[in-house]
Each structure stands twice: as C-alpha cells, then as structure tokens.
Amino acid sequence: MNFAKVDAFVAGQEKRGFPSSDLTIVKDGEVVFHKRYGYANEEKTRETSDRDMYYLYSLSKVSTCVGALRAIERGLISLDDPVAKYIPAFADVKVRRQGGEPTPAETVMTVRHLFTMTGGLNYNLFSPSIRAARDAGITDTLSIASRIAEAPLDFEPGSSYQYSLCHDVLAAVVEVASGMRFADYQQKEIFDPLGMTDTTYHMNEEQKSRLVDLYRYNGATYTAEKWVGSNGYILGPDYDSGGAGLSSTGLSYARLAAALSNGGVSTDGYVLLKPETVELMQKNQLGDHALKVFGDGRFGGYGWGLCCRTHIRPDISLSPSSPGECGWDSAANAYFLADPRRKVGIVYLTHVLGCNMGYDRYHPVIRDLVYEGLEE
C-alpha cells in the first residue's frame, strides 16, 4: 500500500478552499492511513489534531440506518411496517396534488420508504408546524417527527425519490420501538461497543472546545470564508437528528467505517450487523423512476440501498469501488465510504459548506486515489 498520491492531493485541499481536512483509510477493519491537514481555526494558530471535532451533518445518516437495521435484526421493527404504527400522526398524511388541494395519501408510508428517501417528505425545517413546535420549546425527536407528518407529502410514498427528513423520522421510529431516546440507543448499540468515544449527538463543553471552525465556500474566488453559526439541523438539546445531528472526530467515526467494511464485524469481534443484513443494506431499493431521479447527475451508476448510496453500475460510475460499496457525504463536504467486498473504508472530514465542487470533483479523486494506493 502506498497512499502518497492521495496524501498529496488532500494536502492541496487548503489551496482549493478547504482550510482543514482529516482523512482516515481502513482496510480489513484496521486503520492503515490517518492524517490531518491545515489549521483548525481561521487565525491559523491551532494546527489540526486527531482530537478535532467536526459536524458530520448528513454522514449521520449512515449510523442512523445502521441503528435501524439493528432494530430490524432484533425484531423491534420491520421494513414493511406502517410508519403510523410507531408515530400515529402519519396515519392521516396528505399528498399535494397538481392544481388542487392536498388529499389523503393512497399509499401507506412504510419504514422502508423512510430508509430509501421515497416517503414523499422534503427537507423543510421551517414548515409552520415545526416552527410552531420550536416556538413552544417542543423539540424532542418524536414530537418533531409528528409535526413533520402535518405537512402534505410531495408525492405518494414509494413513487419517487427525494432527499428529505426521512431519516429524522426513522430515528423517531427506532426511539419508539426501542423504548429508548434515540441518542441513548445509538450509544448503546453502536458507539460504545465500537469505541466511538468522540461521536455524539450533543457535544459536551470539552468537545465543543475542540470544534473546528466552520466555513462557507466562495465559488468566485475558490476560497472559504468563516461561517459564524452552528449545525442548524440540531433543533434543540432534546432533538437527536437522525439525518444530520452527529459530531465526531475522524478516527472515532472511522470505527463505524471499519466495522461496516469488514462485513459488519469489528476487529475485536463485535457483530454490528449480520452478514445477511450487510448484503441487504447494499442492494438497490429504488424502482425505475426513483432510480432515474436519484442517479441523474453525479450519482450515475449508483442506487440507494438501506444505507444511503450503493454502487450498482461500475461501467457507468467509472468508480474502482466494488458493487455494493455504500456511504454518503455531508453539507460540509465530508465523505464516507464502506466497501465490504474489498474491506475498504474511507472517512474524509472537512468543514466547508456550499461547495458543490467537493462532491462532484474532489470526492471522486480522493476515492480513486485511495483505491490506487491500495494496489501499490
């Protein structure tokens, strides 16, 4: 193995507008490369370190899906259960109709629809019902999920794909089914057993002191400007956002990539997921229309499984990763990959909002150079 090329590329990310980066590569369940780049603060007085905390944003979806899959393995939920079985507010959802008033949905929304982003939900955290709940200080995970149900769906469940708050609702389903707060469930089922000591939905003060500065990308100058704000998807101290709520260090979250890419088992023997569950997780779940909606663009050659994107057409994607490689990326340009067939995992963290070039150009380069380095 020789990762000199990917090392050099990520080292150059600072010149491309990424002030800090953290790259971890795992093979056969073990870390084979880890390095930090740049500075953790705008003033460049704090060099990056292994203990730097990043908002994971949508990388959170990977662990949420894993937690929900564990609940399926234990018989707590089923893929084809109605969401309303756990969250009664979803029993009476309506669908927006073109040129008319919303009318009752004709298709029952199921847990599978939540996994696959085919529930008809959107990503509007400012809907009147959610805003009213926040104004009243009602921001626990289940209450927000119930408020999400009050807005009309954008399409019949299962009929299309739309990136949305589906995984936030999935977290609430797991919470009800397990009888535990979602953050506590994830801690017990995933974070503690895997030794993910710096992965959390709600940072303590010491972890907050290690948070890397957040930036917004300026496409006109290819630079990043400090963003004075926080993770807006965390609606309150009692809201565990399954879709975007986690914060972590690179090495901590890489433990999840290591277990997933190692067939669902950590190197010390913890069975995160059964082999048959890992196989199911990698299978595309989208029908023809939904797959076209999802794969039209940078996701050509990919489908959506039970853990975000899944690789289905190497001839189209031109990716060196195996069919079934899965993972996701984040609002701040982080990237997660788990390839159980090759037993390869990648966690790349950075903290820059609003840079589409990161997804379209830089992530594929990092991925391809990692696989190249594995062969040297």
Side-chain angles (χ1 to χ4, degrees):
M1 291 181 283
N2 183 347
F3 299 112
K5 289 183 180 178
V6 70
D7 182 16
F9 179 81
V10 179
Q13 285 290 78
E14 189 173 0
K15 295 179 180 178
R16 300 182 190 101
F18 293 80
S20 65
S21 294
D22 187 302
L23 176 64
T24 309
I25 304 168
V26 297
K27 180 74 171 73
D28 300 319
E30 300 283 359
V31 173
V32 293
F33 180 90
H34 174 71
K35 192 170 179 180
R36 297 95 46 225
Y37 307 82
Y39 291 87
N41 63 348
E42 183 185 32
E43 297 79 15
K44 296 187 177 182
T45 57
R46 181 179 141 207
E47 292 186 356
T48 53
S49 80
D50 292 347
R51 303 182 72 247
D52 289 336
M53 297 289 294
Y54 290 81
Y55 292 129
L56 295 187
Y57 291 105
S58 287
L59 258 61
S60 307
K61 292 176 170 65
V62 177
S63 63
T64 293
C65 290
V66 170
L69 286 169
R70 285 184 60 82
I72 288 174
E73 287 186 343
R74 293 169 59 190
L76 299 177
I77 59 177
S78 172
L79 279 174
D80 296 316
D81 280 344
V83 177
K85 176 180 177 180
Y86 307 95
I87 310 173
F90 280 90
D92 301 312
V93 292
K94 295 183 177 181
V95 179
R96 290 187 179 90
R97 308 296 180 183
Q98 191 171 7
E101 290 294 316
T103 60
E106 298 173 0
T107 305
V108 174
M109 187 190 298
T110 66
V111 172
R112 187 187 303 269
H113 294 143
L114 298 180
F115 269 101
T116 58
M117 295 288 179
T118 59
L121 300 178
N122 54 46
Y123 232 121
N124 184 11
L125 284 170
F126 300 98
S127 68
S129 57
I130 295 179
R131 184 173 294 172
R134 295 179 70 178
D135 289 345
I138 304 171
T139 58
D140 63 278
T141 307
L142 180 57
S143 293
I144 292 296
S146 298
R147 299 308 194 278
I148 290 171
E150 295 180 21
L153 305 179
D154 288 345
F155 50 81
E156 285 285 341
S159 66
S160 191
Y161 167 93
Q162 182 165 270
Y163 197 55
S164 67
L165 290 165
C166 277
H167 288 176
D168 283 59
V169 177
L170 183 61
V173 167
V174 173
E175 186 167 282
V176 173
S178 67
M180 299 175 65
R181 177 171 172 169
F182 184 64
D184 294 338
Y185 172 87
Q186 294 288 87
Q187 195 75 40
K188 176 177 178 290
E189 298 289 329
I190 302 175
F191 305 154
D192 282 347
L194 291 182
M196 298 169 64
T197 55
D198 263 327
T199 302
T200 178
Y201 286 92
H202 303 282
M203 289 183 286
N204 58 36
E205 291 304 314
E206 190 275 332
Q207 289 169 325
K208 288 178 182 177
S209 72
R210 296 189 266 128
L211 187 67
V212 172
D213 279 354
L214 185 61
Y215 298 84
R216 180 163 289 279
Y217 188 70
N218 185 333
T221 60
Y222 306 108
T223 59
E225 300 164 355
K226 187 174 178 179
W227 177 255
V228 182
S230 59
N231 184 345
Y233 298 93
I234 302 173
L235 304 184
D238 54 351
Y239 187 62
D240 306 332
S241 171
L246 284 177
S247 302
S248 184
T249 65
L251 283 172
S252 183
Y253 212 58
R255 289 177 175 266
L256 177 61
L260 275 183
S261 62
N262 197 43
V265 183
S266 69
T267 53
D268 60 1
Y270 181 69
V271 181
L272 179 67
L273 293 175
K274 298 175 182 178
E276 57 267 31
T277 305
V278 174
E279 186 176 347
L280 178 63
M281 176 188 76
Q282 297 174 282
K283 290 183 177 179
N284 172 57
Q285 300 287 320
L286 301 181
D288 290 344
H289 173 71
L291 182 60
K292 183 179 184 302
V293 172
F294 172 70
D296 187 13
R298 67 186 176 97
F299 291 115
Y302 281 83
W304 190 280
L306 297 180
C307 191
C308 306
R309 71 166 193 273
T310 188
H311 195 196
I312 57 175
R313 291 283 304 273
D315 58 319
I316 300 297
S317 70
L318 305 182
S319 170
S321 62
S322 308
E325 167 259 298
C326 56
W328 201 231
D329 46 43
S330 87
N333 264 271
Y335 179 77
F336 184 104
L337 176 149
D339 184 341
R341 294 192 185 183
R342 295 279 298 275
K343 294 193 173 184
V344 176
I346 303 171
V347 175
Y348 168 69
L349 300 185
T350 189
H351 232 190
V352 180
L353 301 165
C355 178
N356 288 333
M357 286 181 62
Y359 314 117
D360 298 338
R361 300 186 185 182
Y362 303 147
H363 290 171
V365 170
I366 292 171
R367 176 200 65 201
D368 293 356
L369 289 177
V370 167
Y371 278 88
E372 183 178 338
L374 287 166
E375 300 299 325
E376 295 184 4

